[in-house]
């Protein structure tokens, strides 16, 4: 039995969960999230707990069991606490600024790179080199952070680029390191 899938999800105060067929809607202080769960999974809402069960032990159902439970749990966490990704911009002359709902980044290109906030995502800039992307939907936050990071991924020689705050960049020596014997 899936250890993740069989764990019940406790619904905190102020969160409303609606189940309509295989569509689940979670409403809380940070917004409303809706997701369609695979029809093979059985979702039950009883009081302030949500349980996910599977019909049999086929390989696909075992895989979907833990996934479905994690997706619903992330929805509950998202509408109560929310998710955030912190990005750091490293490099001489690399700067980040925000005006209105537009994120502008100078990343060493001949032009500034701009991003507009999408629905459900909030961008905050601290200083000139820190970007905080937050929102209730874990998948949207992660995808948007990945798209921002993609514009100048960190390089291994000097460490310049956009990296996640908790990411460690493996550094390389370069040409001069190979000549020494």
């Amino acid at each position: 039995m899936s250890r993740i899938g069989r764990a019940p999800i406790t619904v905190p105060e102020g969160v409303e969960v609606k189940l309509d067929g295989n569509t689940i809607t979670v409403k809380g202080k940070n917004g409303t999230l809706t997701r369609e769960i695979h029809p093979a999974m059985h979702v039950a809402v009883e009081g302030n707990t949500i349980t996910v069960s599977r019909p049999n032990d086929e390989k696909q159902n075992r895989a979907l069991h833990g996934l479905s439970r994690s997706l619903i749990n992330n929805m509950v966490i998202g509408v109560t606490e929310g998710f955030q990704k912190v990005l750091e911009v490293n490099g001489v002359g690399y700067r980040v600024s925000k005006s209105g709902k537009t994120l502008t980044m100078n990343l060493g290109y001949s032009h500034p790179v701009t991003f507009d906030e999408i629905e459900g995502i909030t961008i905050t800039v601290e200083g000139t080199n820190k970007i905080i992307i937050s929102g209730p939907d874990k998948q949207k936050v992660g995808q948007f952070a990945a798209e921002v990071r993609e514009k100048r991924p960190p390089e291994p020689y000097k460490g310049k680029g956009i990296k996640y705050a908790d990411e460690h960049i493996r550094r390389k020596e370069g040409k001069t390191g190979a000549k020494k014997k």
Side-chain angles (χ1 to χ4, degrees), residues 19 35 40 50 63 71 78 86 93-94 126 129 132 139 152 166 170:
L19 189 62
R35 183 176 289 273
I50 303 170
L71 291 173
V86 180
Y94 290 11
E126 288 184 6
N129 67 342
I132 300 171
Q139 191 268 330
R152 183 66 92 173
D166 56 351
R170 290 188 63 192

Side-chain angles (χ1 to χ4, degrees), residues 33 74-75 78 83 85 135-143:
L33 296 174
N74 286 341
M75 290 169 67
F83 293 99
K85 292 272 187 184
D137 190 347
K138 187 174 187 176
Q139 191 268 330
K140 269 188 181 177
V141 170
Q143 181 65 40

Side-chain angles (χ1 to χ4, degrees), residues 4-5 10 16 30 45 54 57 62 72 74-75 84 87 91 94 103 105 110 127 130 132 143 149 151 165 171:
I4 293 171
T10 55
E16 186 181 314
N30 288 353
V45 180
R54 62 182 184 224
D57 282 347
R62 288 196 320 255
I72 296 169
N74 286 341
M75 290 169 67
Q84 76 173 19
L87 299 169
Y94 290 11
L103 175 72
M105 301 182 290
S110 61
K130 195 172 186 183
I132 300 171
Q143 181 65 40
R149 181 184 181 275
K151 295 303 173 187
R171 302 297 290 272

Side-chain angles (χ1 to χ4, degrees), residues 24-165:
I24 189 162
T25 306
V26 181
K27 192 175 188 180
K29 66 177 184 177
N30 288 353
T32 305
L33 296 174
T34 305
R35 183 176 289 273
E36 202 161 309
I37 302 299
H38 194 276
M41 295 299 111
H42 304 292
V43 180
V45 180
E46 298 157 5
N48 66 341
T49 59
I50 303 170
T51 53
V52 180
S53 58
R54 62 182 184 224
N56 53 35
D57 282 347
E58 286 181 19
K59 189 172 185 175
Q60 184 181 11
N61 289 336
R62 288 196 320 255
L64 287 169
H65 190 203
L67 171 72
S68 301
R69 190 255 181 214
S70 291
L71 291 173
I72 296 169
N73 189 44
N74 286 341
M75 290 169 67
V76 171
I77 292 170
V79 297
T80 53
E81 302 164 25
F83 293 99
Q84 76 173 19
K85 292 272 187 184
V86 180
L87 299 169
E88 293 175 351
V89 180
N90 299 321
V92 178
Y94 290 11
R95 274 189 213 90
V96 179
S97 64
K98 186 178 179 218
S99 59
K101 291 188 175 246
T102 304
L103 175 72
T104 306
M105 301 182 290
N106 295 339
L107 301 172
Y109 297 121
S110 61
H111 60 283
V113 179
T114 59
F115 275 98
D116 291 325
E117 276 186 8
I118 58 174
E119 187 180 330
I121 297 290
T122 308
I123 304 170
T124 312
V125 174
E126 288 184 6
T128 58
N129 67 342
K130 195 172 186 183
I131 307 167
I132 300 171
I133 299 168
S134 57
D137 190 347
K138 187 174 187 176
Q139 191 268 330
K140 269 188 181 177
V141 170
Q143 181 65 40
F144 192 80
E147 288 171 7
V148 170
R149 181 184 181 275
E150 186 181 60
K151 295 303 173 187
R152 183 66 92 173
E155 53 94 19
Y157 297 101
K158 292 183 181 178
K160 293 166 59 170
I162 302 172
K163 71 178 193 81
Y164 295 111

